Amino acid sequence: MLRSLVGSEMCIRDSTMPPPHEPVDVDLLDPVDPHTDDEAVADARQRRLILITMCVSLIAVIASSSGLNVAQQALAADIGASQGQLLWIINGYTLALAALLMPIGAIGDRWGRKPILIIGLVVFAAANLASAFVNSPEPLIALRVVAGLAAAMIMPVTLSVITTSFPAAERAKAIGTWAGVAGAGGIIGLFASAAIIDNTTWPWVFSIPVILAAVSLAATVFVVPHSREHVETGFDIPGAILSVLAVGGLVLAIQEGPERGWTSPLTIAAFVIGLAASVAFVRAELARDHPLLDVRLFRNRGLTTGSVNLFVVFALMFALFLVLVQFLQAILGYTALRAASGLLPMAVMMMPLSTIAPTIAHRVGYRRTVASGMITLSVGLVLLAVLADPGSGYLSVLPGLLVIGAGVGLSMSPSTTAITSSLTEDKQGVASALNDTVREIGAAVGLALIGSILNSRYRANITDTANTFPTDVADRIKEGIGGALSSAAQLGPDSPALITAARNAYVDAMQPAMFLAAGFAALAAAYTTWTGVQDKRRQTVSENEQLD
């Protein structure tokens, strides 16, 4: 993880590390860890069970988000959902989850993490179970929002329980395992849901989160200890409300911009509310003695750098899911299950590397590990841009997938450790919520930005061909590769030429989108390296002043 810190009071230390007053190489310094081991679970077997339980809960939350993507066509046909309603079925969940993470994380810190987790799991399972029996879009949208609220009760608690249950010597590795599951959970959700859609009906997609939540609930009751903050201060109600408006407004604007247009009234209103609430949140938190989130902590380069890198990782990873699933299905002709299977090599690289990345970082330096991971991620995206070729099939994207998985694995868990290490033990719910909020906003921004670039380049590439058809057909062709293929199915002799043109237009559009994504990863690596240089200079100046 990226911790810049010399003598900073937040470091995961072991007996091999020098005392904080001695000169050290800031590139090799672990993140500062303010946690004590007061609430750590002594029994190693119980700690393993806690880690497994929290990871199962996490997979339930993430799989519920990604799994419905493969069920959109079935939902449209069975319950008559329009494209706009389908988007709200997907986005309503993520909007509620992102907006409520911070205040609910703080509530868990205040009144107990285990009760919040249990309530969240019960509501989550009930909402998903009820979703399987709806017969119209409106109640499904409402239930997805309720499920998102419940997910906000689950997701931050899973990480805060881990950080408070594990002793310092094992905490980074446990966080690495959690981070690997968080990264691969989306792929696992896609794969399981695609297998269900290919073999049964869409209501069974909801069985996955229900079963996972039930298993996690039973385990939570018996193995998860009670933990909460021990500081009796007033709850920051204004900060909680403003955080909901800030995150909710920005996420809503980012989600609606690509669909309704960036100048639509809803998009502009959401942006204005989100930005105004963000400014008000910062001002309110600076004025409070016990804020929901002490924004002064972002002066800590470890927290800032960890947040930046995690934001970029999830922005690019979720954008990649969008780009590659369409490539595998629309260009290579894969089924939903086969397309989801095509992403598994990335998860195979990502999960083990996320677990051992903290160990690597402790040996070679957190900042160096994260920067190396982001550079590796950038290289993988360049490989996709250069090598992706319909004629060569899946093997043309496999090298890029493997390299991307390695890059994400190296950078994700150290970045998570940097964030959780920046807040004290009694504020781990807030720290975990901040970590999750960064991920959710990053995913929304990546989908909107990279998706917009992909769609605009596709539209530019296909316009000449589309304009040779009637206006209504041309409009569908320009909407995206899916619209072009569905239109081609109705064109008879003209369909092969349109299919070829649409596929070429999409592959050509992938290249600038992937190059842009690679550029963002490279910039994150450069920023991480630059902060290390700045901190080393400060350390040298400080040491010289002490000598003088």
Side-chain angles (χ1 to χ4, degrees), residues 101-187:
L101 280 168
M102 289 292 291
I104 292 181
I107 289 171
D109 284 340
R110 177 59 55 90
W111 288 296
R113 298 176 183 112
K114 183 173 181 177
I116 294 297
L117 178 58
I118 289 174
I119 294 170
L121 288 168
V122 170
V123 175
F124 182 80
N128 278 282
L129 182 61
S131 297
F133 295 96
V134 301
N135 52 20
S136 61
E138 292 79 8
L140 182 55
I141 292 171
L143 286 168
R144 292 294 290 165
V145 172
V146 173
L149 183 154
M153 303 176 75
I154 299 169
M155 194 172 186
V157 175
T158 60
L159 183 55
S160 61
V161 164
I162 289 172
T163 58
T164 55
S165 298
F166 279 76
E170 299 179 15
R171 190 174 297 129
K173 186 175 181 180
I175 292 173
T177 301
W178 181 95
V181 171
I187 300 174

Side-chain angles (χ1 to χ4, degrees), residues 172-349:
K173 186 175 181 180
I175 292 173
T177 301
W178 181 95
V181 171
I187 300 174
I188 294 171
L190 279 173
F191 176 79
S193 297
I196 289 173
I197 289 295
D198 279 4
N199 294 282
T200 60
T201 55
W202 67 264
W204 286 100
V205 169
F206 293 102
S207 66
I208 299 171
V210 170
I211 292 171
L212 292 175
V215 170
S216 181
L217 176 63
T220 295
V221 171
F222 293 104
V223 305
V224 174
H226 288 279
S227 64
R228 59 183 289 269
E229 66 177 311
H230 303 293
V231 179
E232 297 299 330
T233 59
F235 186 73
D236 184 7
I237 295 176
I241 294 172
L242 289 170
S243 73
V244 171
L245 293 174
V247 176
L250 292 174
V251 171
L252 177 61
I254 293 166
Q255 288 177 341
E256 293 298 310
E259 302 303 324
R260 294 176 179 264
W262 295 103
T263 57
S264 73
L266 177 60
T267 304
I268 293 174
F271 261 129
V272 170
I273 291 171
L275 291 173
S278 297
V279 173
F281 176 78
V282 172
R283 292 175 62 88
E285 299 305 274
L286 289 173
R288 291 186 67 90
D289 292 332
H290 301 284
L292 181 76
L293 174 64
D294 188 352
V295 293
R296 298 176 188 87
L297 288 171
F298 284 96
R299 296 172 183 169
N300 181 320
R301 289 186 187 272
L303 173 61
T304 304
T305 311
S307 299
V308 167
N309 280 282
L310 201 62
F311 177 93
V312 172
V313 164
F314 272 77
L316 302 185
M317 188 164 62
F318 274 75
L320 186 64
F321 291 164
L322 169 71
V323 173
L324 277 181
V325 167
Q326 289 190 84
F327 177 85
L328 295 174
Q329 288 189 283
I331 308 303
L332 300 187
Y334 284 12
T335 63
L337 177 58
R338 194 177 178 192
S341 302
L343 299 177
L344 289 177
M346 187 166 74
V348 169
M349 292 293 292

Side-chain angles (χ1 to χ4, degrees), residues 342-367:
L343 299 177
L344 289 177
M346 187 166 74
V348 169
M349 292 293 292
M350 183 194 310
M351 292 185 70
L353 274 174
S354 291
T355 301
I356 66 172
T359 303
I360 297 172
H362 183 66
R363 294 179 178 177
V364 305
Y366 275 73
R367 195 183 305 277

